[in-house]
Amino acid sequence: MNRFRMSYSFGALRGILLALICLAGTSCSVYSFKDVSIPPQVKTIRIGFIENRARIVDPQLSPQLTDKLKQKVNNQTKLTQVQSDDADYDVSAYISDYSVSTSGVSNQAAATNRLTVTVHIALKNRLNDQKLGTPDFETDLSRNFDFSASQSLNDAQAALTPQIIDNMTDEIFNRLFSNW
């Protein structure tokens, strides 16, 4: 019986160890954000100011979104940011929609409002002649942000702007470099 308990314990320990190794290997790949794919020939990027062309204008949004995107590119890529027209990648964007709608109703009254933010982004790859890197594209990236209907839009903006900046920056970055 002692021998059975010892072999059972060793077998169980071996199984647990194997499961932990597999789990550790899986979890690393799930949370890895190293999917940035930039060919070594691409050296420079120009990121233009992200204008706000929406009907409703949050004056904080354009400069903060532009700055955050530039910081993210600087921190997570080896690309050199330039202001000249001959950059390998030329990124232009504008906020095309910033609108509020009702997203939840309770007792025949609005309970939750939804702020929708859409950014139109365009990438011009000046190395396309050589078929290097991401091809030229234009697309709209949109995100929704819910807030209580009891809040004014100004109050909601104050609370949501950091989240909007972070989420939209991630969306733009992933579309540019990860093709998500």
Side-chain angles (χ1 to χ4, degrees):
M1 183 133 154
N2 210 2
R3 196 177 208 190
F4 173 73
R5 198 179 292 163
M6 187 181 224
S7 67
Y8 175 74
S9 297
F10 181 68
L13 184 62
R14 189 172 40 182
I16 291 170
L17 186 59
L18 182 60
L20 287 173
I21 290 171
C22 289
L23 191 59
T26 303
S27 66
C28 289
S29 65
V30 171
Y31 295 106
S32 172
F33 293 103
K34 303 278 187 216
D35 293 334
V36 174
S37 142
I38 303 170
Q41 297 87 343
V42 178
K43 305 273 189 225
T44 60
I45 188 169
R46 178 176 167 253
I47 300 172
F49 182 75
I50 301 172
E51 296 179 55
N52 196 332
R53 298 182 188 172
R55 275 185 310 122
I56 301 172
V57 175
D58 175 353
Q60 306 278 324
L61 192 57
S62 287
Q64 288 182 16
L65 187 56
T66 303
D67 289 343
K68 185 80 172 198
L69 180 59
K70 287 180 176 184
Q71 287 174 10
K72 189 168 182 93
V73 168
N74 192 47
N75 293 337
Q76 295 188 15
T77 72
K78 293 181 180 180
L79 296 176
T80 301
Q81 292 184 43
V82 297
Q83 292 304 313
S84 62
D85 291 337
D86 62 345
D88 297 336
Y89 280 0
D90 190 359
V91 178
S92 60
Y94 61 89
I95 300 163
S96 60
D97 184 37
Y98 191 89
S99 58
V100 178
S101 60
T102 301
S103 65
V105 177
S106 176
N107 296 328
Q108 298 180 350
T112 308
N113 287 332
R114 175 166 290 157
L115 174 61
T116 301
V117 180
T118 304
V119 176
H120 181 83
I121 183 167
L123 172 74
K124 172 73 176 154
N125 179 351
R126 299 203 193 286
L127 300 177
N128 259 350
D129 297 339
Q130 304 164 26
K131 302 288 185 212
L132 298 172
T134 305
D136 293 353
F137 70 84
E138 285 192 48
T139 192
D140 289 322
L141 304 172
S142 191
R143 275 301 212 26
N144 296 319
F145 304 91
D146 291 343
F147 63 96
S148 172
S150 65
Q151 282 186 301
S152 70
L153 179 57
N154 285 339
D155 291 341
Q157 284 174 326
L160 290 174
T161 296
Q163 181 183 356
I164 293 168
I165 300 296
D166 287 343
N167 289 349
M168 293 309 294
T169 300
D170 289 345
E171 287 279 334
I172 295 167
F173 185 87
N174 288 337
R175 181 58 181 98
L176 289 172
F177 301 113
S178 301
N179 208 8
W180 287 15

